[in-house]
Amino acid sequence: GKIKKLALKKKKIVFHIAGFPHKMPNSFFTSNKLPDLGELAYLWRLEQIAIEVEKLTGATVEMMVCLEGTVFHFLAMVSKFEAQTYQDKVSDLVKIFKLNHLHPVDLASLHCLVLDWDKKVRLKALEIQKAYQKGKLKIIEQVKRVWPVMFVTLNVRGWPDAKIKQLFWKSNKLSDQ
C-alpha cells in the first residue's frame, strides 16, 4: 500500500497516532493527574516502532502523537488547566527521553477548522448528559455498550470506591477477581 510506495521511494512516512486525552484518576488504578510510567512505556514503544520501520524501509519516520485534552477536557469534567498541564508533561517526556521520532500535536490547534466546533460538541454532550440523568433507556443502553470508552474518560475523582466498583464492574457484569 501507501507505506510500501513511500518506503520504495525512501520518502518520509508520517503516522498519526491517538495519544492520551488527559489523566482520569480512578482510585482503583491511580491518583495521578500527570503522565507516569504507563505513558512513558507507550511513548518509548512508539519510538522503537519508528526506529524499526526506518531500518526496514530506509525511509524517514515521524509519529504525530495526537493529544486531545484541551479539546475534549470538558466532556470528562477535567479543567483545561489540568488537561494542558498533562499535555505539556507528555511533550516534556518526549524531549527528556529524546524520543526523536515522536511529535506531540495538540488537536486544539486543528479543531478550529470545524465551524462552531466548541458549541456543537458542548450541546451534544449536554444533550446526552440530560438524557442519561432522566433515565432514558436508549441512552443508558448506549452508554453501557461503550463502557470501555467511559472507563477511560469518566471523571471519578472523589467518588467512593463502592460507587466506582459498581459502575465499572457490577453494572458491566465483570468479575472483580
Side-chain angles (χ1 to χ4, degrees), residues 27 77 154-165 167-168:
S27 60
M77 299 168 284
L154 184 63
N155 185 345
V156 295
R157 288 185 193 146
W159 286 22
D161 287 350
K163 187 172 181 179
I164 297 169
K165 183 177 178 181
L167 178 67
F168 293 123

Side-chain angles (χ1 to χ4, degrees), residues 4-15:
K4 186 176 180 179
K5 286 179 188 175
L6 291 170
L8 289 172
K9 294 178 183 177
K10 306 275 191 236
K11 297 269 185 176
K12 183 190 303 185
I13 301 172
V14 179
F15 295 95

Side-chain angles (χ1 to χ4, degrees), residues 20 39-47 90 93-94 99 102:
F20 319 101
E39 286 89 347
L40 180 57
Y42 177 78
L43 294 169
W44 183 262
R45 184 68 181 130
L46 289 177
E47 179 72 12
V90 168
L93 287 175
V94 168
L99 306 174
L102 307 185

Side-chain angles (χ1 to χ4, degrees), residues 46-110:
L46 289 177
E47 179 72 12
Q48 299 311 306
I49 291 169
I51 291 168
E52 288 302 313
V53 171
E54 279 188 345
K55 285 180 187 174
L56 291 170
T57 65
T60 303
V61 174
E62 287 186 14
M63 291 200 175
M64 311 309 273
V65 182
C66 301
L67 302 169
E68 60 188 42
T70 62
V71 176
F72 296 111
H73 68 93
F74 62 91
L75 292 175
M77 299 168 284
V78 173
S79 75
K80 188 170 186 172
F81 175 78
E82 286 178 312
Q84 184 64 57
T85 302
Y86 179 85
Q87 283 190 180
D88 292 345
K89 296 302 179 186
V90 168
S91 295
D92 289 348
L93 287 175
V94 168
K95 290 175 193 163
I96 291 167
F97 288 94
K98 297 182 170 96
L99 306 174
N100 299 321
H101 295 86
L102 307 185
H103 305 283
V105 176
D106 185 352
L107 290 183
S109 64
L110 304 175

